[in-house]
Amino acid sequence: MSTATEHRTFDSLNPATGAVVGTHPVHDAAAVRAAVRDAGDAARWWARLGHAERRRRLLDFKAVLTRELGRVADLIHEETGKPVGDATLETVLAIVHLDWAARNARKVLGPRRVSPGLISVNMAATLEYLPLGVVGVIGPWNYPLFTPMGSIGYALAAGNAVVFKPSELTPGVGALLAELFAESVPEHRVLQVVTGLGETGAALAADPGVGKIAFTGSTATAKRVMAACAANLTPLVAECGGKDALIVDAGADLAAAADAALWGAMSNAGQTCVGVERVYVVDAVYDAFMGELTTRAEGLRAGEHYGPVTMPSQTEVIRRHVDDALARGGTAVVGGAGSVRPPYVDPVVLTGVPEDSSAVREETFGPTITVTRVATAEEALEKANAAAYGLGGAVYSGDSRRAMELARAMLTGMTAVNSVISFAGVPALPFGGVGDSGFGRIHGADGLREFTRAKAITRQRFPLPGMKITSFSRTPAELQRLVKMVTILHGRRKS
């Protein structure tokens, strides 16, 4: 990297080989300000196009992404190390979500009449959702297309311009995304990308021209982003990771549950915010489930079934969690301390790990899983809900009603039943967490509204005779008529 600030660059590397994938500029605060200023002009133009034209442009962008699917997946593979097949799946999900946002924005956000109620019967009331202007998106490296597109696509569909700061580990994916978008929207820079390290993201969060920040990353970083946003009262939607649990109840299809637990824990090398990190299995089926899980896990190979750990420092977090679990009496039934061999981590299945250990309480973000025997599903639920995180979760059960009850009771934003992470593939469902997993929602109607401001309008259609209430000329008789009406409408207690 050169020393002159205006010419600073950085490389993105293939984590599996260390080879340079691309070289990108480090955008400083002045460059970020310029991007936000340009985005403000673009946002006004984009908003004036209206829902129908934006829909057409975004569907065209979707077609461009689909046409370039192989190119996009290859670049995701190069910058993250994940297998091309997993990168392809990520790209497909991004395309599906973009399609939903484009097709549903008008229905969700467009003007609609609402009932004014009897007290305001002379009013016409309308509600619509208007764009914020410029939305800043700070994206992660683990799903460098799918995750930020959950904000970018929905913010664009809502009529905003977007300035996207991708992770410094995957800047090429962001740059390619902006390049492909420009094929469908060449007139203005409605989607821009600024690349760099932490200071670039901080400059974006602190810019007063940004109407909202959408952030994905660690809880600690989210707090710093919130502090930067606070100076301008810039609202924030934050997705901060998780420690998702899977409950296996009696009567569950154990082969399916074990297969799902393993994929939820190990796919993408465990680097999934809604990945399975904890499994709680009722005593009646514990031994059978462990037999299914260990057989499958022993056949899994790092570098073949999943890629390397993308962020080098994460291997030490994984090592610390495994070492702590073993030191505190846990047992590695698959893998162990020697499984951490940077940049790869072989599958690790731990049992008998204390609930207050780092492997159970902290986000590991690696291909490890803890499995705990419990007496009942209620005990499993209690332990699942004890974590500070509350992003996603899963329940496997042969009783659908019981499974739904457990799913509702999980303190998470999303829960899958007899599947894992399936909610991410349903564009109409909101995505987000509670507690240390953050706040706000992307995806679905909630995700569209997240990037808008509600606009309420009332219009008097005719004056109410004898009911001039909001006037200094109001008479005692008029006020008494209002009280009588309210008493008739609302004074009777309902059983």
Side-chain angles (χ1 to χ4, degrees):
M1 184 180 295
S2 63
T3 56
T5 302
E6 62 271 25
H7 299 301
R8 287 174 64 203
T9 61
F10 69 106
D11 295 331
S12 66
L13 307 177
N14 183 317
T17 65
V20 174
V21 179
T23 300
H24 302 270
V26 176
H27 288 109
D28 61 12
V32 172
R33 278 196 303 272
V36 172
R37 184 175 60 249
D38 290 348
D41 294 336
R44 286 183 283 276
W45 172 81
W46 184 244
R48 286 196 300 268
L49 287 184
H51 284 291
E53 181 62 14
R54 289 196 299 269
R55 177 183 186 273
R56 186 185 72 79
R57 300 295 190 99
L58 290 174
L59 292 177
D60 187 68
F61 174 42
K62 178 199 69 170
V64 172
L65 269 179
T66 304
R67 184 194 72 206
E68 299 291 343
L69 197 156
R71 179 184 173 195
V72 174
D74 284 344
L75 183 56
I76 293 173
H77 161 69
E78 287 293 318
E79 287 197 319
T80 66
K82 68 177 64 176
V84 172
D86 288 352
T88 300
L89 176 59
E90 176 178 349
T91 308
V92 167
L93 287 174
I95 289 168
V96 170
H97 275 270
L98 178 60
D99 178 77
W100 192 93
R103 294 184 186 278
N104 287 275
R106 170 64 178 82
K107 179 173 65 176
V108 172
L109 306 175
R112 66 178 185 271
R113 297 187 65 173
V114 298
S115 172
L118 286 175
I119 295 298
S120 301
V121 70
N122 63 322
M123 296 290 176
T126 61
L127 171 65
E128 62 185 302
Y129 296 86
L130 302 179
L132 298 170
V134 179
V135 170
V137 177
I138 301 175
W141 48 263
N142 59 328
Y143 291 92
L145 179 66
F146 171 67
T147 297
M149 276 293 284
S151 299
I152 294 170
Y154 288 77
L156 291 170
N160 303 282
V162 173
V163 178
F164 174 34
K165 192 277 175 187
S167 167
E168 58 267 31
L169 299 180
T170 55
V173 176
L176 178 57
L177 188 67
E179 174 191 327
L180 297 178
F181 181 80
E183 292 190 27
S184 301
V185 187
E187 298 95 333
H188 293 273
R189 301 176 69 193
V190 177
L191 172 60
Q192 295 181 68
V193 168
V194 292
T195 55
L197 310 180
E199 62 266 27
T200 303
L204 181 59
D207 195 292
V210 173
K212 190 162 196 173
I213 289 289
F215 168 81
T216 304
S218 70
T219 303
T221 304
K223 292 177 181 179
R224 294 194 292 271
V225 173
M226 285 184 71
C229 289
N232 300 305
L233 288 180
T234 304
L236 172 72
V237 53
E239 192 263 277
C240 308
K243 191 71 180 176
D244 288 11
L246 186 157
I247 295 173
V248 182
D249 196 11
D253 181 334
L254 299 182
D259 184 68
L262 191 65
W263 188 85
M266 309 295 173
S267 62
N268 202 34
Q271 301 167 125
T272 303
C273 56
V274 287
V276 177
E277 296 207 4
R278 301 174 292 151
V279 181
Y280 297 101
V281 188
V282 297
D283 181 72
V285 296
Y286 178 86
D287 291 333
F289 173 83
M290 286 303 300
E292 295 279 358
L293 181 66
T294 54
T295 298
R296 287 169 168 77
E298 287 168 348
L300 212 57
R301 298 288 178 268
E304 179 183 349
H305 296 100
Y306 58 82
V309 173
T310 304
M311 187 167 67
S313 61
Q314 195 64 29
T315 57
E316 291 309 308
V317 175
I318 299 167
R319 189 194 307 275
R320 175 171 61 83
H321 286 190
V322 173
D323 288 347
D324 180 61
L326 297 176
R328 300 190 59 190
T331 300
V333 296
V334 176
S339 297
V340 182
R341 47 182 188 87
Y344 293 96
V345 177
D346 294 318
V348 179
V349 179
L350 300 163
T351 61
V353 181
E355 286 294 296
D356 61 349
S357 68
S358 58
V360 174
R361 284 285 181 253
E362 300 174 16
E363 186 175 36
T364 306
F365 228 53
T368 71
I369 192 171
T370 63
V371 186
T372 302
R373 185 195 298 262
V374 294
T376 64
E378 288 69 28
E379 181 188 351
L381 180 65
E382 181 181 354
K383 292 181 183 298
N385 286 344
Y389 293 100
L391 192 54
V395 176
Y396 265 80
S397 175
D399 183 333
S400 60
R401 178 177 296 180
R402 180 175 172 82
M404 289 297 291
E405 290 173 353
L406 290 168
R408 290 190 182 97
M410 289 187 92
L411 297 180
T412 60
M414 302 84 62
T415 307
V417 173
N418 291 337
S419 60
V420 291
I421 319 179
S422 50
F423 40 75
V426 181
L429 287 176
F431 185 103
V434 298
D436 281 3
S437 289
F439 47 84
R441 294 295 182 266
I442 59 175
H443 302 173
D446 294 81
L448 285 168
R449 294 190 188 103
E450 192 76 50
F451 299 107
T452 63
R453 56 185 178 90
K455 180 67 175 183
I457 299 175
T458 52
R459 177 180 56 84
Q460 181 175 277
R461 297 185 295 134
F462 54 85
L464 280 178
M467 289 285 286
K468 191 180 290 185
I469 302 302
T470 56
S471 169
F472 286 114
S473 65
R474 181 186 64 212
T475 67
E478 286 174 320
L479 184 60
Q480 187 57 39
R481 277 193 288 272
L482 175 65
V483 172
K484 185 176 181 179
M485 180 186 296
V486 170
T487 301
I488 293 171
L489 291 174
H490 304 292
R492 183 178 298 177
R493 297 181 66 177
K494 303 295 184 182
S495 59

